[in-house]
Amino acid sequence: MAGKVFFSVSMSLDGYIAPGSLGELMGKQWMELQRWVFPLKFFRQNLKLGEGGEEGRNNDIARETFERTGASVMGKRMFDAGERMWPEEAPFHTEVYVVTHQKRDPWERPGGTVFHFVTDGIDVALEQARDAAGDRDVRIAGGGTTILEYLNAGLIDEFSIALSPVLFGSGVRLFEGVDASRVALEQVHAEHAPNVTHLTYAVHKR
């Protein structure tokens, strides 16, 4: 049986998931947005940053999200930023399908991550990701524009937001341009943890 299609992101209280400029990634606001992730034991293990790190519910959620993911889909903007920032052993350890207009041969990284570049649109990228994922889930990794495309197309089954106590004021807003006439949400889980509140929603057609 095919798994779910989902996304999971950190979001500021005013609705932003990233700064407006790629040059601001790893800046102060973005670091505050993600500060619940960086100390985690699983985060350190996955990026091979050494022993130690925090355990607890945040760590469990990060690990569970990774373990449910059989393949990922992302947009070109996210890939371009990550290509410069990810370590040699990229943190996905699965097949990753990049939605792009630029043809490129698959890019294999140590640790099992292989980036495939799909020029035929979001439906084809998702179909390929589903085949690769088997009975596990497909994660729409980002960025915001790509998530929104899948959401508006009715292709998202579920999503989780890690709501961080930080304000951005500007940047990439998660639901900017959402077709609210087509998307209905059902809250299925809410959980407070240190530095963040985890919210999970099922997505239905309105």
Side-chain angles (χ1 to χ4, degrees), residues 90-142:
F92 302 96
H93 308 290
T94 64
E95 311 293 312
V96 180
Y97 297 86
V98 181
V99 181
T100 179
H101 297 294
Q102 179 182 351
K103 290 186 177 182
R104 178 172 169 178
D105 291 334
W107 187 41
E108 185 172 351
R109 310 304 295 145
T113 300
V114 182
F115 293 96
H116 304 270
F117 301 89
V118 182
T119 58
D120 300 318
I122 64 171
D123 293 285
V124 173
L126 179 57
E127 181 181 354
Q128 293 181 11
R130 282 189 185 276
D131 288 343
D135 60 358
R136 290 200 291 167
D137 297 336
V138 173
R139 181 178 184 179
I140 309 302

Side-chain angles (χ1 to χ4, degrees), residues 25 74 76-87 107:
L25 284 176
M74 70 178 59
K76 183 65 161 51
R77 183 177 187 268
M78 180 176 179
F79 173 78
D80 286 345
E83 189 175 17
R84 297 193 297 269
M85 294 169 54
W86 293 318
W107 187 41

Side-chain angles (χ1 to χ4, degrees), residues 21-34:
S21 167
L22 291 179
E24 296 176 89
L25 284 176
M26 302 301 289
K28 181 180 178 182
Q29 280 185 312
W30 191 84
M31 295 292 284
E32 289 177 349
L33 181 69
Q34 304 290 352

